Amino acid sequence: RKQKAKTRRSKRFLQSREPKLTEGQKSSMIIRGGNSSETVSQALKDVYALKKPNAVLYKRKNMVRPFDDSTALEFFSKKSDCSLFLFGSHNKKRPNNLIFGRMFDFHVLDMFELGIERFVSLRDVKTDTCPEGTKPLLVFAGELFETDREHQRLRNLLTDFFCGPRVSAVRLAGLEHVLHFTALEGKIYMRSYKVLLKKSGCRTPRIQLQDMGPSFDFVMRRNHMASDDLYKTAHRQPRGVKPKKKKNISHDAFGTRLGRLHMQKQDLDKLQTRKMKGLRKRRGEQTAETAAAAAKAPRTDE
């Protein structure tokens, strides 16, 4: 069912919600569950501080159970036009619980449930923070991120959640924030650092990392992953976005552009070379081809 705009304002609003060839920055909604602890509430506020201004914080409690019924999350996603979400809850069976997830076509694509075992807030670290909207540098360490299927999908989700705006180039002074994720023995360690550029005596500065917060020690719990067919459909690109493949053009390992030309077979005997006096034919000389042609020619008696 397609809605029809009645005013110019509603027409502009509906046009902004229409699918585009190149989508804009993804927004995140941060939701607090019906039962939450002080740790969960502060963790949601700290993640919201890292995600601003591309995030929406729901301050009221919402009785939502994402793994049982995701209808409320899909409603909030369509209302706020957010494709990423973070849900926090707390109960006796699963204390200090965070659920990272994302949407496709306003339906839950995949989500991971992580339990907080250790948490250091932004307010506990008495250091300067990065400016709002800073694009972080994401670092993933651990063999599980390369071998285990669940950790690979979790890495893809965390990259989608924290990557920030898409940029074509990054300058050295713009690398101010680093998010480091380590997978070890079934746990996920998340650390946040501020990059300090120190004098090194040469042109390239010396890099120093300063703990900024927040810091998490997560433990893996439940997860809901999309099927391979749905996951492939979500990554499908429209035809207008795919670059057209140019024939006979390739690039080597160093990025050098190489081209291939197709030509007809050349007759080297008819190739015009540089004219020199030493290569001119004299009147009394006959080439081998001229002599052979004269010998084969039939004689005529007068």
Side-chain angles (χ1 to χ4, degrees), residues 14 42 59 65 93 103 143 163 170 178 239 301:
L14 293 177
Q42 188 61 37
K59 297 182 180 180
R65 295 180 179 179
K93 188 176 182 180
M103 302 284 186
E143 186 179 356
C163 68
V170 180
V178 176
R239 294 182 179 180
D301 297 335

Side-chain angles (χ1 to χ4, degrees), residues 18-184:
E18 290 180 354
K20 304 177 183 60
L21 291 178
T22 304
E23 295 290 343
Q25 174 66 22
K26 292 183 180 181
S27 299
S28 307
M29 54 182 182
I30 300 176
I31 305 172
R32 185 174 62 169
N35 298 322
S36 63
S37 61
E38 180 65 24
T39 301
V40 172
S41 300
Q42 188 61 37
L44 295 178
K45 293 179 182 178
D46 289 356
V47 175
Y48 173 68
L50 297 179
K51 290 287 296 179
K52 287 192 302 186
N54 300 309
V56 178
L57 178 62
Y58 287 80
K59 297 182 180 180
R60 295 184 180 180
K61 295 182 179 181
N62 298 274
M63 300 300 296
V64 181
R65 295 180 179 179
F67 284 91
D68 298 335
D69 185 12
S70 60
T71 306
L73 288 178
E74 294 172 357
F75 171 77
F76 291 148
S77 174
K78 197 168 185 179
K79 181 180 179 181
S80 57
D81 193 20
C82 295
S83 58
L84 303 168
F85 68 89
L86 175 61
F87 180 81
S89 62
H90 174 78
N91 52 52
K92 186 176 180 180
K93 188 176 182 180
R94 299 181 183 89
N96 300 328
N97 211 37
L98 292 182
I99 299 177
F100 290 86
R102 54 185 169 183
M103 302 284 186
F104 172 65
D105 195 17
F106 300 112
H107 295 285
V108 175
L109 180 65
D110 47 14
M111 51 186 173
F112 286 84
E113 189 177 56
L114 304 177
I116 302 175
E117 290 191 344
R118 178 179 173 274
F119 170 61
V120 179
S121 175
L122 277 170
R123 63 184 181 183
D124 297 335
V125 182
K126 305 300 182 181
T127 56
D128 296 334
T129 59
C130 295
E132 181 180 317
T134 302
K135 180 178 176 63
L137 174 64
L138 303 181
V139 181
F140 292 89
E143 186 179 356
L144 292 175
F145 284 130
E146 302 293 338
T147 57
D148 187 63
R149 181 171 176 268
E150 293 183 1
H151 284 76
Q152 289 178 353
R153 191 68 64 87
L154 176 60
R155 180 185 64 178
N156 188 277
L157 174 59
L158 292 176
T159 303
D160 208 9
F161 193 89
F162 290 105
C163 68
R166 304 287 182 179
V167 294
S168 58
V170 180
R171 63 190 182 96
L172 182 60
L175 297 176
E176 302 181 27
H177 187 204
V178 176
L179 286 178
H180 192 280
F181 298 91
T182 305
L184 183 64

Side-chain angles (χ1 to χ4, degrees), residues 262-278:
H262 296 272
M263 301 177 61
Q264 297 180 355
K265 188 176 180 180
Q266 294 182 341
D267 187 2
L268 300 180
D269 295 335
K270 297 181 180 179
L271 184 65
Q272 178 64 43
T273 58
R274 186 177 179 183
K275 296 181 180 180
M276 295 178 61
K277 291 184 178 181

